[in-house]
Amino acid sequence: MSIRPVLFPVLVCTIVISGCDGSSGGGSTAGIAQPTPAADFSDVSMTNLPVGLLGGLCMDADHGDVDGDGDADLVLAQEFDTNIVLLNNGVGVFTLSVGAVNGGSGDNEDVQLADFDGDTDLDMLTVHEDDAVHSLLANDGAGFFTVVPGAIPVNSVANAAEVLDLDGDTRPDILLGNNGQNIVLLQQVSGLFVDDTANRPIGIGTTQDLLLLDVEGDGDPDLFVANEQDNRLFINDGSGFFSDETTVRLPGNDGETREADAADVDGDGDLDVILGNVNFTSGRPIANQLLLNDGTGVFTDATASNLASVDNRSNSFTIRFFDIDADGDPDVLSPRSTIGQGGSIDVWINDGSGTFGPATDSPFSTAPSGSAFDIEIVDVNGDGGDDIYFCYRSGTDQLYIRN
């Protein structure tokens, strides 16, 4: 899963826009809103992406300046293949960097960019599921990556990773979300990692996503663990040790979650959480879920009340908060996907109080057309407005530029 909005430092588809009642003037029904003209997005995929090379199985994406030229590049986790590096020319036109990734091929499920070796450029962590062999790849400074032998000391069936300085030594550490015991890896002076899971346990389950966020406002990152069954919330004690406080902080009846995202949806100064759910193995409710934070890190399920106006029957492998109508509050991009068969992208507009309704007009010039497994929100052309990159497991990736 991809890096989220800054919460703590460190098959063919169509878009579904449901109609709703409401005046076109000043008043509107609660939860119903319309994107402003400033929030329109143009599909520039054919001109700005090497589309002929992007029809593979994209499982995850991350962005960062990998070649040191000051703009946002993209790295794409490719299932059963070598990861892809797309270099930005500064105005949002991307080219494939041929031979940029030397090693790490296989069942790539998640990719994370971070400066692991302290040389000021971004290195690449890629974690694997079926072949269970994870890789750390060092950047040469120009955006070419080579595996660091022996850097990752464990093999595991992983779908998710997060990177942070857990023990306060200024070196980035790694959390792995697995099928089984989730893993904590601490980086040593040598640059290699040691397994410190026994001292810092972060749960056992079938984990699909990890989300770092400060739920109680004490300045350190807590950990939301999104599982196929029974999501968990771990609270940081301030020194990088987590305690499982799920039973007192999370409501029950969670779904089969594939991704979580966080933002302050109701303007009360704390981080709320949205869950992208599917219904493949657990038989749990298929609807995505909205959890509201009371300010102390205790959450209530507001799905029934705050998502009542949207069509919330979906298989969402990814989900994103994003202020798509540029009115200052986070809206939601909610994909619907069926592996190999397509889906749609729903747009839910926030009324400012955390109640969502369907967009009355499509913010996109043309409909997104793939099965989304990740969504990157990043300013690719340097105009100060965030753009949208859709990573598709089925279909060809797409890029939308804010007008």
Side-chain angles (χ1 to χ4, degrees):
M1 303 329 224
S2 61
I3 290 177
R4 307 302 195 277
V6 179
L7 305 176
F8 189 86
V10 213
L11 190 135
V12 174
C13 325
T14 58
I15 181 165
V16 173
I17 304 293
S18 303
C20 59
D21 294 329
S23 68
S24 59
S28 64
T29 303
I32 306 301
Q34 182 172 350
T36 65
D40 288 343
F41 291 79
S42 295
D43 182 359
V44 297
S45 306
M46 295 303 295
T47 57
N48 290 38
L49 295 178
V51 292
L53 304 172
L54 297 178
L57 305 179
C58 185
M59 302 299 293
D60 187 50
D62 199 5
H63 64 268
D65 182 10
V66 303
D67 56 359
D69 64 356
D71 53 41
D73 307 304
L74 293 164
V75 296
L76 311 176
Q78 301 292 292
E79 190 173 33
F80 308 117
D81 207 339
T82 300
N83 289 342
I84 287 174
V85 175
L86 297 180
L87 296 181
N88 190 344
N89 72 347
V91 295
V93 177
F94 291 86
T95 57
L96 177 70
S97 182
V98 177
V101 181
N102 181 19
S105 63
D107 186 21
N108 295 286
E109 296 288 330
D110 198 351
V111 62
Q112 298 280 322
L113 291 172
D115 181 10
F116 285 99
D117 53 13
D119 63 356
T120 73
D121 55 43
L122 294 174
D123 309 301
M124 182 190 302
L125 171 69
T126 180
V127 301
H128 293 194
E129 184 181 24
D130 290 353
D131 54 12
V133 179
H134 317 307
S135 296
L136 178 65
L137 298 95
N139 189 343
D140 69 354
F144 289 86
F145 297 87
T146 303
V147 167
V148 180
I152 307 299
V154 297
N155 296 332
S156 65
V157 178
N159 277 287
E162 279 284 13
V163 178
L164 77 164
D165 178 13
L166 195 59
D167 53 2
D169 63 359
T170 73
R171 292 185 291 270
D173 307 305
I174 296 170
L175 309 179
L176 297 178
N178 296 315
N179 184 352
Q181 175 72 62
N182 294 329
I183 292 173
V184 176
L185 301 176
L186 298 183
Q187 188 176 179
Q188 306 302 292
V189 175
S190 66
L192 304 182
F193 291 81
V194 297
D195 186 350
D196 200 44
T197 305
N199 294 321
R200 304 171 190 263
I202 53 171
I204 299 173
T206 305
T207 298
Q208 292 289 342
D209 192 29
L210 298 173
L211 174 65
L212 293 169
L213 74 168
D214 183 3
V215 301
E216 78 275 54
D218 63 354
D220 54 46
D222 308 302
L223 179 66
F224 192 99
V225 179
N227 291 327
E228 289 188 8
Q229 293 188 1
D230 301 326
N231 298 323
R232 314 301 293 177
L233 181 59
F234 291 83
I235 301 300
N236 192 334
D237 68 356
S239 61
F241 290 86
F242 294 94
S243 59
D244 187 345
E245 300 188 13
T246 303
T247 57
V248 296
R249 294 183 181 271
L250 290 187
N253 195 35
D254 43 56
E256 184 181 339
T257 302
R258 292 303 175 103
E259 188 154 39
D261 201 11
D264 180 8
V265 302
D266 50 7
D268 63 355
D270 55 47
L271 290 173
D272 310 299
V273 173
I274 196 161
L275 305 178
N277 293 333
V278 299
N279 189 13
F280 295 146
T281 61
S282 69
R284 298 195 172 199
I286 194 171
N288 297 328
Q289 292 171 276
L290 178 66
L291 307 182
L292 295 183
N293 189 342
D294 70 355
T296 68
V298 176
F299 292 84
T300 57
D301 190 339
T303 305
S305 58
N306 292 40
L307 301 183
S309 297
V310 301
D311 185 357
N312 190 22
R313 297 166 299 156
S314 59
N315 280 321
S316 294
F317 289 92
T318 186
I319 199 161
R320 279 290 178 271
F321 284 124
F322 177 43
D323 183 11
I324 200 163
D325 58 359
D327 66 352
D329 54 44
D331 309 303
V332 173
L333 295 176
S334 174
R336 305 177 185 220
S337 297
T338 301
I339 296 177
Q341 297 181 19
S344 60
I345 305 290
D346 288 359
V347 180
W348 301 342
I349 301 300
N350 190 343
D351 70 354
S353 70
T355 300
F356 295 83
T360 56
D361 293 310
S362 173
F364 299 109
S365 62
T366 59
S369 55
S371 180
F373 269 53
D374 194 27
I375 302 170
E376 284 298 292
I377 307 297
V378 55
D379 179 8
V380 300
N381 59 356
D383 66 354
D386 281 334
D387 310 301
I388 306 171
Y389 185 91
F390 289 103
C391 155
Y392 295 140
R393 189 183 185 276
S394 298
T396 301
D397 294 1
Q398 289 181 289
L399 175 65
Y400 289 80
I401 298 289
R402 186 188 289 270
N403 295 330

